[in-house]
Amino acid sequence: MKTILETDMDFICDINAPCFQLLEKDEIDLIQSGKTQVQFRKGDSITKQGAFASYVLFMVKGLAKQYIEGVDNKSFNIKIVTPGDFVGLSSVFDRVIFDYSTITLTDCQAFLIEKEAVSGLVKKNGNFGFSITRRYCKQNHSLFKTISNLLYKQMNGRLAGALLYLDEINSKYPELYGLLNRKDIAGFCGISTENCVKLLESFEKDGIIKLSDKQIIIKDKNVVELIASRG
């Protein structure tokens, strides 16, 4: 991790997120005084599960993978972090540790904002607080969907759900699949890498997806959605 100074070419003056446009000038100054602009290299750790959460991270550039660490070196992928996403919002609502780990898939640029500054503005500015709370609820809803996908669906349904999620992100960031291996894909649906590879080949044989190197192209989205819904 490298701190970006105002004299650096990569320095960004403002945080271009809709929720920050709701702040008054003195409130913006408070955020500005409590933030640090940093650069992460590909493969750097952004958050560590169980570590003390002293900041909220706002992603400006790049992609990262958020995951839960399990026993026996097993992990479950829960989210792709994209520009405009917050990481660590739970720390604003009195959660003192990170519940997940986050690792960069590309070089990334982000703002680290002191959680006390964000917490203070949530209490002071109702519109800002509502926007942050809505984001937090959206993240929780996405997590509940992920848990439901894992608990109540068979392997083919899990994989189909993961492919739909990744395809949506890939439509905005076409480099995504080039950054993920088959183990990463398997990690989004809680199955072994071997089973993931077999199911992908089966889906391709059935003509609903196309595999091209690391790329996964959905050819029949309706069928994939049906598999995902029926589990």
Side-chain angles (χ1 to χ4, degrees), residues 49-84:
Q49 183 176 321
F52 178 69
S54 60
Y55 60 84
V56 176
L57 182 144
F58 179 77
M59 185 70 78
V60 179
K61 295 179 181 179
L63 302 174
K65 180 182 69 174
Q66 204 169 87
Y67 61 97
I68 296 175
E69 299 181 48
V71 296
D72 299 327
N73 293 320
K74 293 182 179 179
S75 62
F76 181 74
N77 298 329
I78 55 176
K79 179 181 174 64
I80 296 294
V81 181
T82 61

mmCIF file of all heavy atoms in Angstrom, residues 49-84:
data_model
loop_
_atom_site.group_PDB
_atom_site.id
_atom_site.type_symbol
_atom_site.label_atom_id
_atom_site.label_comp_id
_atom_site.label_asym_id
_atom_site.label_seq_id
_atom_site.Cartn_x
_atom_site.Cartn_y
_atom_site.Cartn_z
ATOM 1 N N GLN A 49 -9.847 -10.402 7.623
ATOM 2 C CA GLN A 49 -10.910 -10.902 8.490
ATOM 3 C C GLN A 49 -10.418 -11.017 9.935
ATOM 4 O O GLN A 49 -9.378 -11.618 10.211
ATOM 5 C CB GLN A 49 -11.370 -12.269 7.981
ATOM 6 C CG GLN A 49 -12.521 -12.886 8.752
ATOM 7 C CD GLN A 49 -12.984 -14.190 8.113
ATOM 8 O OE1 GLN A 49 -13.035 -14.320 6.902
ATOM 9 N NE2 GLN A 49 -13.312 -15.164 8.935
ATOM 10 N N GLY A 50 -11.179 -10.392 10.850
ATOM 11 C CA GLY A 50 -10.821 -10.434 12.261
ATOM 12 C C GLY A 50 -9.940 -9.285 12.714
ATOM 13 O O GLY A 50 -9.740 -9.097 13.912
ATOM 14 N N ALA A 51 -9.409 -8.488 11.751
ATOM 15 C CA ALA A 51 -8.550 -7.366 12.113
ATOM 16 C C ALA A 51 -9.385 -6.163 12.553
ATOM 17 O O ALA A 51 -10.554 -6.028 12.179
ATOM 18 C CB ALA A 51 -7.665 -6.969 10.932
ATOM 19 N N PHE A 52 -8.791 -5.288 13.351
ATOM 20 C CA PHE A 52 -9.473 -4.099 13.848
ATOM 21 C C PHE A 52 -9.836 -3.180 12.683
ATOM 22 O O PHE A 52 -9.008 -2.887 11.817
ATOM 23 C CB PHE A 52 -8.581 -3.355 14.840
ATOM 24 C CG PHE A 52 -9.196 -2.094 15.374
ATOM 25 C CD1 PHE A 52 -10.296 -2.148 16.224
ATOM 26 C CD2 PHE A 52 -8.684 -0.857 15.030
ATOM 27 C CE1 PHE A 52 -10.866 -0.986 16.724
ATOM 28 C CE2 PHE A 52 -9.245 0.314 15.523
ATOM 29 C CZ PHE A 52 -10.343 0.244 16.364
ATOM 30 N N ALA A 53 -11.084 -2.727 12.648
ATOM 31 C CA ALA A 53 -11.571 -1.860 11.568
ATOM 32 C C ALA A 53 -11.550 -0.409 12.038
ATOM 33 O O ALA A 53 -12.425 0.016 12.785
ATOM 34 C CB ALA A 53 -12.988 -2.267 11.156
ATOM 35 N N SER A 54 -10.554 0.331 11.604
ATOM 36 C CA SER A 54 -10.418 1.725 12.020
ATOM 37 C C SER A 54 -10.823 2.703 10.928
ATOM 38 O O SER A 54 -10.801 3.911 11.140
ATOM 39 C CB SER A 54 -8.973 2.015 12.444
ATOM 40 O OG SER A 54 -8.081 1.784 11.358
ATOM 41 N N TYR A 55 -11.186 2.167 9.776
ATOM 42 C CA TYR A 55 -11.492 3.044 8.644
ATOM 43 C C TYR A 55 -12.568 2.442 7.749
ATOM 44 O O TYR A 55 -12.875 1.250 7.824
ATOM 45 C CB TYR A 55 -10.225 3.298 7.812
ATOM 46 C CG TYR A 55 -9.611 2.027 7.241
ATOM 47 C CD1 TYR A 55 -10.069 1.473 6.040
ATOM 48 C CD2 TYR A 55 -8.582 1.369 7.901
ATOM 49 C CE1 TYR A 55 -9.523 0.318 5.521
ATOM 50 C CE2 TYR A 55 -8.033 0.200 7.398
ATOM 51 C CZ TYR A 55 -8.504 -0.314 6.199
ATOM 52 O OH TYR A 55 -7.961 -1.480 5.700
ATOM 53 N N VAL A 56 -13.136 3.295 6.911
ATOM 54 C CA VAL A 56 -14.019 2.873 5.824
ATOM 55 C C VAL A 56 -13.265 3.128 4.533
ATOM 56 O O VAL A 56 -12.635 4.178 4.364
ATOM 57 C CB VAL A 56 -15.337 3.673 5.827
ATOM 58 C CG1 VAL A 56 -16.198 3.295 4.622
ATOM 59 C CG2 VAL A 56 -16.101 3.438 7.109
ATOM 60 N N LEU A 57 -13.295 2.186 3.626
ATOM 61 C CA LEU A 57 -12.586 2.338 2.359
ATOM 62 C C LEU A 57 -13.568 2.615 1.234
ATOM 63 O O LEU A 57 -14.607 1.956 1.137
ATOM 64 C CB LEU A 57 -11.775 1.079 2.062
ATOM 65 C CG LEU A 57 -10.918 1.078 0.792
ATOM 66 C CD1 LEU A 57 -9.612 0.321 1.053
ATOM 67 C CD2 LEU A 57 -11.653 0.434 -0.388
ATOM 68 N N PHE A 58 -13.261 3.598 0.410
ATOM 69 C CA PHE A 58 -14.066 3.895 -0.769
ATOM 70 C C PHE A 58 -13.212 3.652 -2.001
ATOM 71 O O PHE A 58 -12.166 4.276 -2.185
ATOM 72 C CB PHE A 58 -14.547 5.352 -0.749
ATOM 73 C CG PHE A 58 -15.379 5.739 -1.951
ATOM 74 C CD1 PHE A 58 -16.708 5.348 -2.042
ATOM 75 C CD2 PHE A 58 -14.826 6.469 -2.990
ATOM 76 C CE1 PHE A 58 -17.468 5.686 -3.145
ATOM 77 C CE2 PHE A 58 -15.581 6.810 -4.103
ATOM 78 C CZ PHE A 58 -16.910 6.424 -4.182
ATOM 79 N N MET A 59 -13.634 2.699 -2.842
ATOM 80 C CA MET A 59 -12.857 2.317 -4.012
ATOM 81 C C MET A 59 -13.032 3.334 -5.140
ATOM 82 O O MET A 59 -14.158 3.654 -5.530
ATOM 83 C CB MET A 59 -13.290 0.931 -4.498
ATOM 84 C CG MET A 59 -12.462 0.383 -5.644
ATOM 85 S SD MET A 59 -10.792 -0.065 -5.143
ATOM 86 C CE MET A 59 -11.090 -1.637 -4.330
ATOM 87 N N VAL A 60 -11.920 3.822 -5.655
ATOM 88 C CA VAL A 60 -11.936 4.800 -6.746
ATOM 89 C C VAL A 60 -11.630 4.134 -8.086
ATOM 90 O O VAL A 60 -12.318 4.353 -9.074
ATOM 91 C CB VAL A 60 -10.920 5.931 -6.481
ATOM 92 C CG1 VAL A 60 -10.923 6.940 -7.631
ATOM 93 C CG2 VAL A 60 -11.217 6.627 -5.163
ATOM 94 N N LYS A 61 -10.591 3.303 -8.100
ATOM 95 C CA LYS A 61 -10.193 2.617 -9.326
ATOM 96 C C LYS A 61 -9.823 1.175 -9.000
ATOM 97 O O LYS A 61 -9.295 0.894 -7.922
ATOM 98 C CB LYS A 61 -8.975 3.297 -9.972
ATOM 99 C CG LYS A 61 -9.198 4.706 -10.466
ATOM 100 C CD LYS A 61 -7.918 5.275 -11.065
ATOM 101 C CE LYS A 61 -8.108 6.695 -11.548
ATOM 102 N NZ LYS A 61 -6.847 7.261 -12.100
ATOM 103 N N GLY A 62 -10.095 0.280 -9.959
ATOM 104 C CA GLY A 62 -9.660 -1.101 -9.809
ATOM 105 C C GLY A 62 -10.733 -2.041 -9.291
ATOM 106 O O GLY A 62 -11.841 -1.627 -8.937
ATOM 107 N N LEU A 63 -10.387 -3.328 -9.247
ATOM 108 C CA LEU A 63 -11.290 -4.387 -8.808
ATOM 109 C C LEU A 63 -10.641 -5.200 -7.700
ATOM 110 O O LEU A 63 -9.419 -5.398 -7.683
ATOM 111 C CB LEU A 63 -11.631 -5.324 -9.983
ATOM 112 C CG LEU A 63 -12.278 -4.694 -11.223
ATOM 113 C CD1 LEU A 63 -12.401 -5.739 -12.328
ATOM 114 C CD2 LEU A 63 -13.628 -4.110 -10.886
ATOM 115 N N ALA A 64 -11.464 -5.667 -6.767
ATOM 116 C CA ALA A 64 -10.967 -6.484 -5.662
ATOM 117 C C ALA A 64 -11.957 -7.605 -5.381
ATOM 118 O O ALA A 64 -13.114 -7.555 -5.803
ATOM 119 C CB ALA A 64 -10.753 -5.630 -4.411
ATOM 120 N N LYS A 65 -11.491 -8.609 -4.668
ATOM 121 C CA LYS A 65 -12.324 -9.760 -4.315
ATOM 122 C C LYS A 65 -12.496 -9.813 -2.802
ATOM 123 O O LYS A 65 -11.524 -9.743 -2.060
ATOM 124 C CB LYS A 65 -11.663 -11.059 -4.812
ATOM 125 C CG LYS A 65 -12.446 -12.325 -4.504
ATOM 126 C CD LYS A 65 -11.697 -13.559 -4.987
ATOM 127 C CE LYS A 65 -10.449 -13.812 -4.173
ATOM 128 N NZ LYS A 65 -9.779 -15.097 -4.529
ATOM 129 N N GLN A 66 -13.748 -9.924 -2.370
ATOM 130 C CA GLN A 66 -14.066 -9.990 -0.951
ATOM 131 C C GLN A 66 -14.455 -11.431 -0.621
ATOM 132 O O GLN A 66 -15.258 -12.040 -1.338
ATOM 133 C CB GLN A 66 -15.224 -9.043 -0.654
ATOM 134 C CG GLN A 66 -15.316 -8.548 0.774
ATOM 135 C CD GLN A 66 -16.319 -7.414 0.869
ATOM 136 O OE1 GLN A 66 -17.515 -7.666 1.050
ATOM 137 N NE2 GLN A 66 -15.848 -6.200 0.739
ATOM 138 N N TYR A 67 -13.896 -11.967 0.473
ATOM 139 C CA TYR A 67 -14.154 -13.376 0.779
ATOM 140 C C TYR A 67 -14.109 -13.631 2.281
ATOM 141 O O TYR A 67 -13.560 -12.849 3.061
ATOM 142 C CB TYR A 67 -13.139 -14.280 0.074
ATOM 143 C CG TYR A 67 -11.693 -14.037 0.463
ATOM 144 C CD1 TYR A 67 -11.061 -14.821 1.419
ATOM 145 C CD2 TYR A 67 -10.960 -13.013 -0.133
ATOM 146 C CE1 TYR A 67 -9.750 -14.605 1.781
ATOM 147 C CE2 TYR A 67 -9.639 -12.778 0.213
ATOM 148 C CZ TYR A 67 -9.037 -13.574 1.165
ATOM 149 O OH TYR A 67 -7.722 -13.349 1.532
ATOM 150 N N ILE A 68 -14.733 -14.728 2.683
ATOM 151 C CA ILE A 68 -14.729 -15.175 4.070
ATOM 152 C C ILE A 68 -13.759 -16.338 4.198
ATOM 153 O O ILE A 68 -13.814 -17.296 3.421
ATOM 154 C CB ILE A 68 -16.136 -15.617 4.512
ATOM 155 C CG1 ILE A 68 -17.109 -14.427 4.476
ATOM 156 C CG2 ILE A 68 -16.097 -16.212 5.907
ATOM 157 C CD1 ILE A 68 -18.544 -14.809 4.776
ATOM 158 N N GLU A 69 -12.863 -16.238 5.156
ATOM 159 C CA GLU A 69 -11.877 -17.289 5.378
ATOM 160 C C GLU A 69 -12.461 -18.365 6.291
ATOM 161 O O GLU A 69 -12.998 -18.063 7.354
ATOM 162 C CB GLU A 69 -10.614 -16.713 6.007
ATOM 163 C CG GLU A 69 -9.935 -15.672 5.132
ATOM 164 C CD GLU A 69 -8.666 -15.141 5.768
ATOM 165 O OE1 GLU A 69 -7.850 -15.971 6.227
ATOM 166 O OE2 GLU A 69 -8.503 -13.910 5.820
ATOM 167 N N GLY A 70 -12.369 -19.618 5.852
ATOM 168 C CA GLY A 70 -12.861 -20.729 6.646
ATOM 169 C C GLY A 70 -11.728 -21.563 7.217
ATOM 170 O O GLY A 70 -10.569 -21.137 7.246
ATOM 171 N N VAL A 71 -12.049 -22.749 7.657
ATOM 172 C CA VAL A 71 -11.034 -23.650 8.213
ATOM 173 C C VAL A 71 -10.360 -24.427 7.090
ATOM 174 O O VAL A 71 -10.873 -24.520 5.969
ATOM 175 C CB VAL A 71 -11.671 -24.628 9.231
ATOM 176 C CG1 VAL A 71 -12.212 -23.864 10.413
ATOM 177 C CG2 VAL A 71 -12.762 -25.469 8.573
ATOM 178 N N ASP A 72 -9.173 -24.976 7.381
ATOM 179 C CA ASP A 72 -8.418 -25.798 6.429
ATOM 180 C C ASP A 72 -8.136 -25.048 5.125
ATOM 181 O O ASP A 72 -8.216 -25.622 4.024
ATOM 182 C CB ASP A 72 -9.176 -27.099 6.123
ATOM 183 C CG ASP A 72 -9.385 -27.957 7.355
ATOM 184 O OD1 ASP A 72 -8.510 -27.933 8.238
ATOM 185 O OD2 ASP A 72 -10.433 -28.622 7.436
ATOM 186 N N ASN A 73 -7.829 -23.749 5.250
ATOM 187 C CA ASN A 73 -7.467 -22.908 4.104
ATOM 188 C C ASN A 73 -8.585 -22.801 3.062
ATOM 189 O O ASN A 73 -8.324 -22.506 1.888
ATOM 190 C CB ASN A 73 -6.198 -23.453 3.420
ATOM 191 C CG ASN A 73 -4.973 -23.334 4.306
ATOM 192 O OD1 ASN A 73 -4.795 -22.319 4.998
ATOM 193 N ND2 ASN A 73 -4.129 -24.353 4.294
ATOM 194 N N LYS A 74 -9.818 -23.066 3.487
ATOM 195 C CA LYS A 74 -10.943 -22.908 2.585
ATOM 196 C C LYS A 74 -11.504 -21.490 2.704
ATOM 197 O O LYS A 74 -11.432 -20.874 3.765
ATOM 198 C CB LYS A 74 -12.038 -23.924 2.908
ATOM 199 C CG LYS A 74 -11.650 -25.370 2.629
ATOM 200 C CD LYS A 74 -12.798 -26.319 2.934
ATOM 201 C CE LYS A 74 -12.412 -27.754 2.629
ATOM 202 N NZ LYS A 74 -13.521 -28.707 2.940
ATOM 203 N N SER A 75 -12.026 -20.983 1.603
ATOM 204 C CA SER A 75 -12.615 -19.649 1.628
ATOM 205 C C SER A 75 -13.849 -19.622 0.739
ATOM 206 O O SER A 75 -14.008 -20.469 -0.151
ATOM 207 C CB SER A 75 -11.608 -18.591 1.159
ATOM 208 O OG SER A 75 -11.217 -18.819 -0.186
ATOM 209 N N PHE A 76 -14.707 -18.654 0.992
ATOM 210 C CA PHE A 76 -15.923 -18.497 0.193
ATOM 211 C C PHE A 76 -15.993 -17.055 -0.296
ATOM 212 O O PHE A 76 -15.987 -16.124 0.510
ATOM 213 C CB PHE A 76 -17.158 -18.845 1.024
ATOM 214 C CG PHE A 76 -18.447 -18.740 0.257
ATOM 215 C CD1 PHE A 76 -18.791 -19.702 -0.682
ATOM 216 C CD2 PHE A 76 -19.299 -17.667 0.443
ATOM 217 C CE1 PHE A 76 -19.962 -19.604 -1.398
ATOM 218 C CE2 PHE A 76 -20.477 -17.558 -0.273
ATOM 219 C CZ PHE A 76 -20.811 -18.529 -1.198
ATOM 220 N N ASN A 77 -16.027 -16.875 -1.603
ATOM 221 C CA ASN A 77 -16.061 -15.532 -2.187
ATOM 222 C C ASN A 77 -17.472 -14.952 -2.096
ATOM 223 O O ASN A 77 -18.448 -15.630 -2.441
ATOM 224 C CB ASN A 77 -15.613 -15.567 -3.645
ATOM 225 C CG ASN A 77 -14.179 -16.042 -3.791
ATOM 226 O OD1 ASN A 77 -13.353 -15.809 -2.909
ATOM 227 N ND2 ASN A 77 -13.881 -16.712 -4.893
ATOM 228 N N ILE A 78 -17.576 -13.708 -1.648
ATOM 229 C CA ILE A 78 -18.898 -13.113 -1.460
ATOM 230 C C ILE A 78 -19.160 -11.907 -2.358
ATOM 231 O O ILE A 78 -20.307 -11.549 -2.581
ATOM 232 C CB ILE A 78 -19.126 -12.695 0.011
ATOM 233 C CG1 ILE A 78 -18.025 -11.755 0.495
ATOM 234 C CG2 ILE A 78 -19.206 -13.915 0.899
ATOM 235 C CD1 ILE A 78 -18.240 -11.237 1.917
ATOM 236 N N LYS A 79 -18.105 -11.297 -2.913
ATOM 237 C CA LYS A 79 -18.355 -10.067 -3.657
ATOM 238 C C LYS A 79 -17.135 -9.671 -4.472
ATOM 239 O O LYS A 79 -15.996 -9.900 -4.070
ATOM 240 C CB LYS A 79 -18.697 -8.932 -2.673
ATOM 241 C CG LYS A 79 -18.965 -7.563 -3.294
ATOM 242 C CD LYS A 79 -19.261 -6.528 -2.215
ATOM 243 C CE LYS A 79 -19.384 -5.114 -2.782
ATOM 244 N NZ LYS A 79 -20.521 -4.979 -3.702
ATOM 245 N N ILE A 80 -17.401 -9.040 -5.629
ATOM 246 C CA ILE A 80 -16.371 -8.323 -6.374
ATOM 247 C C ILE A 80 -16.544 -6.841 -6.049
ATOM 248 O O ILE A 80 -17.615 -6.280 -6.254
ATOM 249 C CB ILE A 80 -16.497 -8.545 -7.890
ATOM 250 C CG1 ILE A 80 -16.275 -10.020 -8.257
ATOM 251 C CG2 ILE A 80 -15.491 -7.656 -8.645
ATOM 252 C CD1 ILE A 80 -14.882 -10.529 -8.011
ATOM 253 N N VAL A 81 -15.512 -6.234 -5.505
ATOM 254 C CA VAL A 81 -15.546 -4.810 -5.168
ATOM 255 C C VAL A 81 -15.175 -4.014 -6.408
ATOM 256 O O VAL A 81 -14.134 -4.264 -7.026
ATOM 257 C CB VAL A 81 -14.572 -4.492 -4.019
ATOM 258 C CG1 VAL A 81 -14.625 -3.003 -3.665
ATOM 259 C CG2 VAL A 81 -14.894 -5.334 -2.791
ATOM 260 N N THR A 82 -16.019 -3.069 -6.780
ATOM 261 C CA THR A 82 -15.814 -2.267 -7.981
ATOM 262 C C THR A 82 -15.733 -0.782 -7.617
ATOM 263 O O THR A 82 -16.089 -0.392 -6.504
ATOM 264 C CB THR A 82 -16.962 -2.486 -8.989
ATOM 265 O OG1 THR A 82 -18.203 -2.076 -8.379
ATOM 266 C CG2 THR A 82 -17.071 -3.954 -9.394
ATOM 267 N N PRO A 83 -15.272 0.071 -8.531
ATOM 268 C CA PRO A 83 -15.211 1.510 -8.245
ATOM 269 C C PRO A 83 -16.569 2.057 -7.802
ATOM 270 O O PRO A 83 -17.595 1.747 -8.401
ATOM 271 C CB PRO A 83 -14.779 2.110 -9.584
ATOM 272 C CG PRO A 83 -13.962 1.029 -10.223
ATOM 273 C CD PRO A 83 -14.667 -0.248 -9.848
ATOM 274 N N GLY A 84 -16.558 2.840 -6.729
ATOM 275 C CA GLY A 84 -17.793 3.388 -6.178
ATOM 276 C C GLY A 84 -18.317 2.608 -4.994
ATOM 277 O O GLY A 84 -19.258 3.042 -4.326
#
